[in-house]
C-alpha cells in the first residue's frame, strides 16, 4: 500500500498570467501562491482567517487565502497584491495612496489591505470616511491607528476618479 498523497493539477490565471502546479488536495491557496508559484506578496498572519493579511481576490472578490484550498479555485482568476499594479508596472491607485498617505508602517498587513480596498473601490468608488473604516474593518494592523489607512482609501478613490475623468 502506498502512502503517497494524491496530487492534483491546479490551473489559475494569476495576475493575468496562466499558472499551474501539481499539489496535494490539502494545499492552502496562500501556500500555493507563496510556495508553488513563488508570489510572496501574499502574507500569512494568523492562519485562522482573522487578520486579513492573506486576502487575495478570486474572480474579483476578496477571500482569505489561508482558509481556501487551492484545488477549490481551479480555473479561477486570482489577483494578489503583485497584480494590483498598473498595466505599465507602476504602483496601482491603492498602492500609490498608501505611499502618499503613509498608510503602512511595518507593511505586513498591507497586501491584504491593498487587495481588500481594490475590490471595495470597484463596488463603491466614492466612499465616505465612515464607509472606508467599515470596508477595512476585517483587516488587522498592529502598527497604525488606521487613520492613515482610511486616508489611503479616500486618496485611492480620488486617484481612480481623476484617472476616470481623463
Amino acid at each position: 500500500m502506498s502512502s503517497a498523497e494524491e496530487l492534483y493539477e491546479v490551473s489559475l490565471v494569476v495576475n493575468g498570467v496562466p499558472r499551474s502546479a501539481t499539489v496535494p488536495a490539502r494545499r492552502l491557496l496562500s501556500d500555493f501562491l507563496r510556495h508553488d508559484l513563488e508570489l510572496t506578496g501574499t502574507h500569512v498572519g494568523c492562519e485562522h482567517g482573522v487578520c486579513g493579511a492573506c486576502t487575495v481576490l478570486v474572480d474579483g472578490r476578496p477571500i482569505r487565502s489561508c482558509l481556501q484550498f487551492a484545488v477549490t479555485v481551479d480555473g479561477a482568476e486570482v489577483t494578489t497584491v503583485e497584480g494590483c499594479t498598473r498595466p505599465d508596472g507602476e504602483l496601482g491607485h491603492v498602492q500609490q495612496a498608501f505611499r502618499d498617505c503613509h498608510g503602512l508602517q511595518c507593511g505586513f498587513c498591507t497586501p491584504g489591505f491593498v487587495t481588500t480596498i481594490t475590490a471595495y473601490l470597484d463596488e463603491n468608488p466614492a466612499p465616505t470616511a465612515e464607509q472606508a473604516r467599515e470596508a477595512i474593518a476585517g483587516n488587522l494592523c498592529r502598527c497604525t491607528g488606521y487613520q492613515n489607512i482610511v486616508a489611503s482609501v479616500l486618496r485611492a478613490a480620488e486617484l481612480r476618479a481623476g484617472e476616470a475623468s481623463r
Side-chain angles (χ1 to χ4, degrees):
M1 180 179 284
S2 173
S3 64
E5 192 167 8
E6 189 171 353
L7 300 177
Y8 298 86
E9 181 77 15
V10 176
S11 297
L12 307 169
V13 175
V14 182
N15 301 327
V17 178
R19 303 287 303 267
S20 64
T22 303
V23 299
R26 61 190 175 91
R27 172 86 81 235
L28 295 172
L29 179 56
S30 55
D31 293 333
F32 178 80
L33 294 168
R34 291 182 58 78
H35 304 295
D36 297 303
L37 301 185
E38 298 180 356
L39 294 168
T40 57
T42 300
H43 292 166
V44 179
C46 68
E47 298 186 70
H48 297 286
V50 176
C51 73
C54 70
T55 303
V56 298
L57 306 180
V58 175
D59 296 328
R61 299 181 51 84
I63 63 117
R64 304 292 206 238
S65 65
C66 76
L67 297 178
Q68 192 81 39
F69 291 118
V71 295
T72 66
V73 296
D74 185 42
E77 245 184 78
V78 175
T79 304
T80 67
V81 68
E82 292 96 337
C84 290
T85 58
R86 299 168 65 87
D88 63 4
E90 294 295 317
L91 294 177
H93 296 116
V94 177
Q95 294 164 326
Q96 184 62 50
F98 265 72
R99 182 179 183 183
D100 293 351
C101 298
H102 309 286
L104 62 109
Q105 285 185 15
C106 84
F108 192 82
C109 63
T110 304
F113 275 109
V114 169
T115 54
T116 298
I117 294 165
T118 297
Y120 175 71
L121 291 176
D122 285 344
E123 292 181 14
N124 186 355
T128 64
E130 186 56 39
Q131 290 169 328
R133 238 178 238 97
E134 188 175 316
I136 64 169
N139 291 65
L140 301 179
C141 174
R142 293 178 186 238
C143 298
T144 71
Y146 295 94
Q147 291 88 341
N148 290 350
I149 297 172
V150 171
S152 298
V153 175
L154 302 177
R155 176 69 179 140
E158 287 173 6
L159 290 171
R160 287 170 56 126
E163 186 169 286
S165 68
R166 288 184 198 163

